[in-house]
Amino acid sequence: MGIFGSRSRRKGIPNEPGLLAAAAENPGGSVAEIDPTHINDPNGYVPPEAIRGAWLVDNSGKLTGEYQENPRHGVPQDDFSKLTDPDHWLGWLGDDPAAAVRKSIEESLRAQVADAAVEWVKILETPRFLTAGRRHTEDTQAMLVTRAALAAPFALSVRTTQHGRSILLGVFSWAAVNLSSPEARKDRHWFDLDVGLDWAGERLQGRLYEIDGADGTAER
């Protein structure tokens, strides 16, 4: 067993300069074979499905001829598990939080380019979450959630007529207030490219509270 699973030995060792140079830089490791069908820049973010497999490298930095196929190789798919797996309440996002976040991400992109079509989205780390509330006036043991926010680091592929495919990295943030009064609810999204989770997380609380009272109303 190896990186992806069973190993095989291919006939002949590739004589591609780029592959050989990468092997020389990774003695005792491996060099991935990227499928260009799904990725424009192999030096940028590469989804797991876009890796065909990996060539093993010996301790002197040369290809051994052994190859490990990637059983996940294929069309990249959405992955929102890092959003939905944590034991954190996401009821404010509706019955399908992943679908809600994906839709909001695509709407953010279409606000910039009307024909933007998202091919796949992957949440890369467990998001930062914020939830606030107040005691229920009739049941002191119950809590009413009044505001909530999240900052989710992502990688995604988007296509537009003018630019073709682009792979984007960044953090998508969503904040909502007045959750206990649906008629007064207000939501706001931020789509920050090329920033880290720490950067977005530090701004999350301020962003959450700047929505409240923006029109002179108080949290309900």
Side-chain angles (χ1 to χ4, degrees):
M1 298 297 287
I3 300 172
F4 298 120
S6 59
R7 299 180 181 181
S8 63
R9 181 170 290 276
R10 290 188 170 183
K11 292 182 178 179
I13 295 177
N15 193 30
E16 300 172 20
L19 185 64
L20 298 177
E25 296 175 358
N26 293 277
S30 61
V31 178
E33 180 184 10
I34 309 301
D35 185 347
T37 304
H38 308 299
I39 291 297
N40 299 339
D41 179 11
N43 296 314
Y45 175 80
V46 177
E49 300 94 331
I51 301 175
R52 286 193 175 120
W55 291 94
L56 301 186
V57 182
D58 65 21
N59 292 330
S60 65
K62 296 182 179 180
L63 298 177
T64 65
E66 288 185 287
Y67 186 82
Q68 296 175 317
E69 293 187 359
N70 178 12
R72 295 181 61 186
H73 173 233
V75 179
Q77 303 294 314
D78 287 350
D79 185 356
F80 284 86
S81 58
K82 287 184 171 60
L83 168 71
T84 56
D85 286 354
D87 187 17
H88 188 90
W89 181 75
L90 295 175
W92 62 283
L93 295 176
D95 294 335
D96 191 341
V101 169
R102 192 188 202 283
K103 179 181 178 182
S104 296
I105 287 175
E106 190 159 48
E107 289 175 348
S108 295
L109 289 166
R110 286 180 176 169
Q112 301 176 51
V113 182
D115 69 345
V118 174
E119 295 182 309
W120 50 262
V121 179
K122 294 183 184 293
I123 302 302
L124 302 180
E125 300 177 56
T126 300
R128 301 285 170 81
F129 300 107
L130 287 178
T131 307
R134 57 178 170 79
R135 293 288 182 185
H136 196 289
T137 55
E138 298 178 359
D139 183 356
T140 57
Q141 300 301 312
M143 180 74 74
L144 288 175
V145 176
T146 57
R147 66 184 96 200
L150 63 83
F154 66 81
L156 64 81
S157 176
V158 59
R159 276 190 176 276
T160 65
T161 300
Q162 182 178 358
H163 301 290
R165 172 187 289 132
S166 298
I167 306 298
L168 305 180
L169 291 166
V171 179
F172 175 75
S173 301
W174 183 343
V177 300
N178 295 332
L179 295 178
S180 60
S181 302
E183 72 283 356
R185 174 171 170 161
K186 292 183 289 185
D187 294 70
R188 189 174 297 174
H189 304 146
W190 293 264
F191 192 81
D192 298 303
L193 293 177
D194 300 320
V195 303
L197 182 56
D198 288 341
W199 183 93
E202 290 173 358
R203 289 157 177 76
L204 193 58
Q205 183 168 334
R207 287 174 163 181
L208 176 61
Y209 280 88
E210 75 181 30
I211 305 175
D212 187 27
D215 59 359
T217 62
E219 179 82 47
R220 305 182 183 188

